[in-house]
Amino acid sequence: VVRSRGVEPGSTTANPTAFNPTATARPTSRPTITSDHYWADVLGGEFHIESTSVVQGPTDQDGAATLLVTLTMTNNTNKPEYALHHVPNVVQKGVVLGVATFDPDQNMRVLVYQDDTVVEPGETVTVVAAYKYIYVGEPVTFVTALEPEDNRYDFPEIVVQPS
């Protein structure tokens, strides 16, 4: 990055060809965008996650309001992946929304903590994640679950208004 009059940041010389290896630009926070849905490509871009529905759901077994997020996941890697490992966190006003659970008689097919749904290589699956919806009617922020090798600054936080 060259600044005015060709002086590099941190340089002690006015030489426009001076090289300063310590002058680097790095993001300081994850970017945030607003969208009508959530999406991410993780595992080197080989595993695609996308929401097809973000809606208020029925009351859970604790009497709490819920948010149902329908996700499609496509695995273009060469190994199976557990769907639960790629479900995003959902946040409202700095609070990570907890997982909602339902009574068996509610017949809700949603991911739970020990869910063993696997997305095989070359396969696309659809799953539903249920969250406790704390601030009903207000937007939620999706935060992608990342692997250690993923750069978190490559994955924006995505704000979605549930319907």
Side-chain angles (χ1 to χ4, degrees):
V1 174
V2 177
R3 303 278 184 214
S4 63
R5 295 192 332 237
V7 178
E8 298 229 355
S11 175
T12 58
T13 175
N15 180 352
T17 61
F19 176 70
N20 184 351
T22 62
T24 58
R26 293 227 159 100
T28 58
S29 65
R30 213 179 241 198
T32 301
I33 61 172
T34 300
S35 179
D36 62 350
H37 70 290
Y38 164 80
W39 74 93
D41 291 306
V42 296
L43 299 177
E46 298 293 316
F47 194 94
H48 180 75
I49 310 143
E50 188 166 344
S51 69
T52 57
S53 174
V54 181
V55 298
Q56 185 173 347
T59 302
D60 73 0
Q61 68 183 13
D62 299 327
T66 64
L67 182 71
L68 301 179
V69 179
T70 303
L71 299 163
T72 59
M73 299 181 177
T74 302
N75 184 357
N76 292 313
T77 72
N78 58 7
K79 64 181 181 108
E81 291 288 331
Y82 284 105
L84 193 60
H85 293 171
H86 300 286
V87 172
N89 287 316
V90 178
V91 178
Q92 276 189 308
K93 297 184 180 185
V95 177
V96 177
L97 302 185
V99 173
T101 54
F102 298 93
D103 286 321
D105 63 342
Q106 287 181 282
N107 293 320
M108 296 295 297
R109 177 83 173 107
V110 297
L111 291 174
V112 293
Y113 286 115
Q114 290 109 8
D115 195 279
D116 61 357
T117 300
V118 173
V119 187
E120 296 291 340
E123 183 178 53
T124 298
V125 300
T126 299
V127 296
V128 177
Y131 301 89
K132 291 187 181 287
Y133 194 13
I134 298 172
Y135 301 101
V136 176
E138 295 191 25
V140 296
T141 302
F142 286 86
V143 180
T144 302
L146 300 175
E147 297 296 321
E149 64 272 11
D150 290 323
N151 180 351
R152 70 186 196 107
Y153 299 114
D154 291 340
F155 297 90
E157 294 182 351
I158 301 175
V159 179
V160 176
Q161 177 63 57
S163 55

